[in-house]
Amino acid sequence: MSTAEPGEGAPRRLVVVGGETEREIELPRWAREFGGDVAVVGDTLAVECLGTPTPYGQEDTGSTLNAYSVTTGVLRWTWSSTYGATLSPLAHRGHLVVLNGYGDRATVLDPADGRAVAERALPGYSYRARLAAAGDCLAVVCTAERPTHRLRVFRWK
């Protein structure tokens, strides 16, 4: 998968390539760009769509995770965080896991309909957090430009 910008004034697209097929997913009109991470569970591709940046000093009201059919490219559902930005969608154990706020809350979504099936508060925070998982462990790393990166690992209960 990659983003493509065919020409000036043309809408950005997410290009999904698999086997002999290629599918383009167009950026929603309200969004300025796709987020850096995508997650695929079955036929569902989830990607963050970023709107207009929040002015300095104003609370971030969240961003939107859009889920598309890999086969058809049709939008299946959207999910918006009410707790800061949605970051780093991750496919894990047949579900989608997203971070909220500054990496201090994880939400597990059903890929079929975007319904939240679990949520967990994660002690601490990480600016520009990224997510990784293995087995029952969830790792959150701060990717902000700093001399050291902060890594937090949790067991999912």
Side-chain angles (χ1 to χ4, degrees):
M1 283 160 257
S2 65
T3 57
E5 195 165 3
E8 195 171 320
R12 291 185 61 90
R13 291 177 163 74
L14 187 66
V15 180
V16 181
V17 180
E20 301 280 325
T21 63
E22 184 175 297
R23 173 96 40 225
E24 289 186 1
I25 297 173
E26 202 168 301
L27 186 65
R29 293 179 194 260
W30 58 265
R32 65 180 165 82
E33 66 180 286
F34 288 112
D37 297 319
V38 298
V40 178
V41 176
D43 187 51
T44 301
L45 177 142
V47 62
E48 182 182 10
C49 292
L50 305 170
T52 306
T54 303
Y56 181 75
Q58 292 185 9
E59 184 179 348
D60 186 359
T61 57
S63 60
T64 301
L65 188 73
N66 283 12
Y68 299 91
S69 166
V70 173
T71 307
T72 65
V74 172
L75 178 66
R76 288 190 164 172
W77 50 264
T78 62
W79 181 83
S80 295
S81 168
T82 57
Y83 186 74
T86 303
L87 299 170
S88 196
L90 176 73
H92 184 60
R93 293 183 167 181
H95 288 86
L96 294 165
V97 183
V98 294
L99 291 175
N100 300 292
Y102 291 102
D104 58 354
R105 185 175 307 236
T107 303
V108 179
L109 303 173
D110 184 324
D113 57 13
R115 176 176 42 93
V117 296
E119 189 167 74
R120 178 172 176 197
L122 305 174
Y125 65 91
S126 299
Y127 185 63
R128 293 188 184 161
R130 303 274 311 223
L131 184 62
D136 67 345
C137 289
L138 189 66
V140 181
V141 65
C142 174
T143 63
E145 290 106 26
R146 297 181 182 186
T148 61
H149 293 285
R150 183 174 177 194
L151 174 66
R152 297 175 295 138
V153 180
F154 306 94
R155 285 216 182 272
W156 192 268
K157 297 177 183 176

